[in-house]
């Protein structure tokens, strides 16, 4: 019976691939990767109207620890200076970055995998909290996130042979619900912190049986119980949208001996090295990358954003390397990328980088001769940034979503109108760390922590984003009444956003929603 299901699945995959190739007979996907120092407004400036703007159809953006990444596929902008070097022996050289105001920008092309199943598949989605009370990222967090990402990707690749659709860290934890003496009439919902050391993931289920879901849930629950993590699974009951969570295991605050070791692991990290891997989407690619990193005990993962855009897998990791400063890392990395013999393949480039940093691999680690599903992937590394804790810890998360017809403006129209709406609803917000009385608009302070845009087969692009907005904005909405100030802010922002879109004259923008809870967004949004 199982072989029959596999056969039907393979036929469905083949049919989908044929349809995609017929609809758009392109065997290559152009993309850009921007590694930047996180700052307000970078994404807005990147996609804003202008002759040099980047026009992305599908986009992934993430920012944490003082570093950010913007990935865009199928750009309409001419790829000036792009040199695609095809090699058939797996020896494609590493991409040299273009430096642009402190950012490293990579332009490249790769082959998609049109048989990869992603947003239409049923999913198993989970959220694992590592250390919710932490205000800074320590070295042990990087080791914990790395090991957790390895276990999650292993469950997808080796246990049920399914694609890992998304991997995200940090992430917002579910809404906190409080009652007085368990009286539901006193129920009160409080938004959790904008971001926490937590890993959010989604696995596509080829086999949608109850047994498969239980097998995955038990494996992840046992892992969380072992290490002292809290676990939530997505609520899949009818009527419950994405962002509704069901608590499976609540940790008591104690961690396993594995991460309660020497005092050095409790030190704050000093450096973040952004690395992005890109290649045809396939099962096991993320697991192969993280399993390789696990061979180096000094290398942790302090942030990640992985997904599939245009049937191409993008795995972005922020690496922390114990005892290596950003300046030294950039000198060695710059020299390495400047050599024409430097390979682009993940294992080869990272092995050479770690060798020059003096980091020996664990001799008892994974066998490096094992099959590598990333053997045709490209690696984009650097620059390293000094770790910077979140600049505005007193922030609330504001979730937004939109739908737009494919047009030459790309992401610029909805994003620019959103920033204008923020400036309109909160024009005077006290500026933290400045002279008393100094104010700026919310549009100048809001930070895009996470953004995802996907193109659908109906020539429509759907997007979702999480913004970090200073809590001081809520003061002007605290006028009493039953409605929460956060709800008033979101209602005012949504109304202003729609008005600015109407005034912009851009056609095809619709389904604009704003909420302080992800589950209150449009029902079609995905992670």
């Amino acid at each position: 019976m199982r072989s029959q299901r596999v056969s039907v699945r393979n036929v469905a995959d083949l049919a989908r691939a044929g349809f995609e190739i017929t609809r758009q007979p392109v065997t290559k996907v152009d993309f850009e990767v921007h590694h930047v120092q996180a700052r307000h407004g970078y994404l807005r400036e990147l996609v804003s109207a202008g002759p040099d703007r980047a026009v992305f159809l599908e986009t992934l953006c993430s920012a944490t620890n003082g570093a950010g990444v913007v990935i865009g596929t199928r750009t309409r902008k001419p790829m000036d200076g792009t040199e695609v070097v095809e090699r058939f022996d797996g020896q494609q050289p590493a991409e040299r970055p273009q430096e642009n105001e402190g950012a490293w920008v990579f332009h490249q092309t790769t082959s998609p995998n049109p048989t990869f199943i992603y947003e239409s598949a049923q999913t198993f989605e989970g959220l694992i909290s590592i250390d919710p009370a932490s205000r800074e990222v320590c070295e042990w967090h990087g080791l914990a996130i790395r090991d957790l990402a390895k276990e999650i990707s292993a469950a997808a690749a080796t246990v049920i042979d399914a694609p890992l659709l998304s991997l995200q860290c940090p992430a917002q934890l579910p809404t906190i619900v409080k009652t007085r003496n368990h009286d539901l009439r006193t129920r009160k919902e409080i938004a959790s912190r904008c971001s926490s050391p937590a890993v959010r993931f989604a696995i596509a289920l080829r086999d949608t049986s109850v047994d498969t879901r239980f097998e995955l849930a038990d494996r992840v629950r046992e892992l969380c119980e072992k290490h002292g993590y809290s676990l939530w699974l997505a609520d899949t009951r009818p009527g419950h949208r994405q962002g509704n969570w069901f608590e499976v295991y609540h940790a008591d605050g104690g961690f396993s001996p594995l991460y309660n070791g020497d005092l050095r692991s409790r030190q704050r990290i000093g450096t973040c090295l952004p690395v992005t891997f890109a290649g045809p989407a396939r099962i096991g690619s993320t697991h192969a990358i993280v399993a390789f990193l696990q061979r180096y005990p000094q290398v942790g993962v302090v942030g990640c954003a992985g997904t599939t855009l245009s049937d191409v897998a993008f795995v972005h990791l922020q690496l922390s390397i114990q005892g290596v400063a950003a300046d030294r890392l950039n000198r060695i990395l710059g020299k390495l990328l400047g050599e024409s013999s430097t390979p682009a393949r993940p294992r080869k480039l990272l092995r050479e980088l770690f060798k020059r940093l003096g980091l020996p691999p664990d001799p008892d680690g994974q066998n490096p001769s094992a099959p590598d599903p990333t053997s045709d992937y490209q690696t984009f590394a650097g620059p390293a940034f000094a770790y910077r804790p979140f600049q505005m810890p007193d922030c609330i998360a504001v979730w937004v979503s939109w739908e737009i017809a494919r047009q030459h403006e790309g992401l610029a129209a909805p994003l620019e109108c959103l920033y204008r709406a923020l400036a309109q609803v909160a024009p005077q917000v006290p500026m933290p760390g400045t002279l008393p009385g100094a104010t700026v608009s919310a549009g100048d302070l809001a930070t895009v922590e996470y953004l995802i845009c996907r193109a659908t087969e109906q020539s429509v692009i759907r997007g979702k984003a999480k913004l970090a907005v200073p809590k001081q904005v809520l003061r002007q909405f605290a006028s009493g009444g039953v409605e929460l100030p956060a709800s008033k802010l979101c209602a005012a922002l949504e109304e202003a956003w729609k008005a600015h879109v109407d005034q912009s004259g851009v056609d095809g923008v619709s389904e604009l929603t704003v909420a302080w809870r992800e589950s209150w967004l449009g029902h079609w949004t995905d992670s």
Side-chain angles (χ1 to χ4, degrees):
M1 189 67 181
R2 182 177 178 85
S3 62
Q4 291 178 355
R5 287 198 299 267
V6 172
S7 177
V8 172
R9 182 187 71 200
N10 292 340
V11 172
D13 289 353
L14 182 62
R16 179 179 183 273
F19 173 77
E20 289 290 340
I21 294 172
T22 302
R23 183 172 64 90
Q24 186 173 0
V26 178
T27 58
K28 295 291 183 180
V29 174
D30 295 329
F31 63 88
E32 295 182 16
V33 177
H34 296 244
H35 291 167
V36 303
Q37 186 172 13
R39 59 181 175 84
H40 305 299
Y42 176 81
L43 181 61
R44 180 187 187 182
E45 296 171 5
L46 179 64
V47 302
S48 62
D52 297 326
R53 73 182 185 277
V55 181
F56 302 140
L57 286 183
E58 297 195 332
T59 311
L60 172 67
C61 176
S62 178
T64 185
N65 303 325
V69 61
V70 180
I71 301 171
T73 64
R74 295 178 181 170
T75 57
R76 295 176 59 90
K77 176 182 175 182
M79 305 294 286
D80 297 332
T82 301
E83 181 181 0
V84 181
V85 182
E86 291 291 344
R87 301 292 172 89
F88 297 96
D89 56 358
Q91 300 299 319
Q92 179 174 340
E95 175 77 4
R96 298 181 184 181
Q98 298 179 359
E99 297 189 30
N100 182 15
E101 297 182 359
W104 283 14
V105 183
F106 304 88
H107 303 268
Q108 255 304 340
T109 298
T110 191
S111 300
N113 179 8
T115 68
F116 192 78
I117 298 176
Y118 47 104
E119 74 275 3
S120 61
Q122 292 196 43
T123 62
F124 178 87
E125 188 172 0
L127 178 62
I128 300 175
S129 173
I130 296 175
D131 187 11
S134 174
R135 296 291 175 176
E136 293 183 332
V137 179
C138 299
E139 290 176 349
W140 80 270
H141 291 131
L143 302 180
I145 295 169
R146 180 201 64 192
D147 297 344
L148 189 55
K150 190 252 185 182
E151 292 297 328
I152 293 170
S153 58
T158 63
V159 176
I160 63 172
D161 188 31
L164 180 63
L165 301 182
S166 65
L167 192 67
Q168 178 189 348
C169 178
Q172 185 183 24
L173 297 182
T175 302
I176 302 169
V177 179
K178 293 184 177 181
T179 59
R180 187 180 305 163
N181 297 325
H182 304 287
D183 186 351
L184 294 180
R185 293 173 298 181
T186 63
R187 175 186 172 95
K188 185 178 182 181
E189 294 183 342
I190 303 174
S192 59
R193 286 170 50 192
C194 203
S195 292
S196 291
V199 177
R200 178 172 174 172
F201 64 94
I203 301 173
L205 295 180
R206 294 180 179 272
D207 179 3
T208 58
S209 67
V210 175
D211 291 340
T212 300
R213 289 187 179 273
F214 272 118
E215 184 179 9
L216 280 174
D218 285 342
R219 182 183 177 104
V220 178
R221 176 186 54 80
E222 291 172 0
L223 178 68
C224 292
E225 290 178 352
K226 176 182 178 182
H227 295 300
Y229 305 149
S230 296
L231 169 65
W232 292 264
L233 295 180
D235 195 336
T236 57
R237 293 176 296 175
H240 290 71
R241 297 178 177 179
Q242 187 175 45
N244 282 296
W245 300 96
F246 183 80
E247 188 174 42
V248 175
Y249 178 73
H250 181 75
D252 58 6
F255 302 105
S256 70
L258 182 62
Y259 304 113
N260 264 335
D262 55 57
L263 294 177
R264 179 175 176 78
S265 66
R266 297 284 165 178
Q267 293 181 355
R268 192 179 82 168
I269 64 171
T271 302
C272 297
L273 174 64
V275 184
T276 300
F277 309 91
R282 62 172 63 98
I283 296 173
S285 57
T286 302
H287 177 246
I289 293 169
V290 183
F292 176 81
L293 292 175
Q294 201 176 36
R295 299 182 59 224
Y296 293 85
Q298 306 96 325
V299 179
V301 176
V302 293
C304 59
T307 193
T308 301
L309 303 175
S310 303
D311 299 320
V312 175
F314 292 95
V315 182
H316 175 78
L317 304 177
Q318 279 191 13
L319 305 183
S320 63
I321 304 176
Q322 297 179 11
V324 180
D327 291 343
R328 176 171 175 252
L329 184 51
N330 282 331
R331 285 197 302 271
I332 294 176
L333 183 60
K335 183 178 180 181
L336 178 63
L337 296 180
E339 299 173 1
S340 59
S341 60
T342 300
R345 306 314 178 201
R347 287 185 182 179
K348 294 181 179 180
L349 190 147
L350 291 178
R351 185 185 293 116
E352 182 62 28
L353 174 61
F354 295 155
K355 178 182 177 181
R356 298 191 183 192
L357 290 173
L359 305 179
D362 185 354
D364 298 327
Q366 183 187 18
N367 182 7
S369 62
D372 182 13
T374 63
S375 59
D376 56 349
Y377 275 40
Q378 302 173 55
T379 309
F380 310 99
F385 298 102
Y387 167 68
R388 192 178 73 222
F390 192 57
Q391 297 298 296
M392 294 183 297
D394 250 356
C395 281
I396 61 169
V398 173
W399 291 86
V400 300
S401 63
W402 65 94
E403 182 178 287
I404 183 172
R406 294 195 186 194
Q407 34 84 19
H408 68 279
E409 292 293 334
L411 183 60
L415 194 64
E416 179 64 27
C417 292
L418 176 61
Y419 273 100
R420 292 178 182 175
L422 278 166
Q424 175 183 327
V425 299
Q428 295 182 335
V429 181
M431 182 69 174
T434 59
L435 296 175
T439 61
V440 294
S441 72
D444 294 324
L445 290 177
T447 300
V448 177
E449 288 195 341
Y450 184 78
L451 180 145
I452 181 77
C453 289
R454 293 192 187 280
T456 71
E457 295 174 356
Q458 291 77 33
S459 297
V460 170
I461 298 174
R462 292 169 174 170
K464 178 175 73 174
K466 183 185 71 172
L467 280 66
V469 178
K471 282 187 177 179
Q472 296 98 316
V473 173
L474 299 179
R475 295 177 182 175
Q476 67 185 75
F477 297 94
S479 57
V482 178
E483 192 176 15
L484 295 174
S487 298
K488 295 178 181 178
L489 165 65
C490 293
L493 180 57
E494 181 176 315
E495 183 179 352
W497 191 14
K498 291 178 179 178
H500 280 283
V501 168
D502 291 340
Q503 295 171 8
S504 68
V506 177
D507 296 328
V509 183
S510 61
E511 301 293 341
L512 304 178
T513 54
V514 181
W516 60 271
R517 292 184 59 171
E518 181 187 5
S519 59
W520 290 349
L521 294 178
H523 69 279
W524 44 260
T525 57
D526 54 18
S527 59

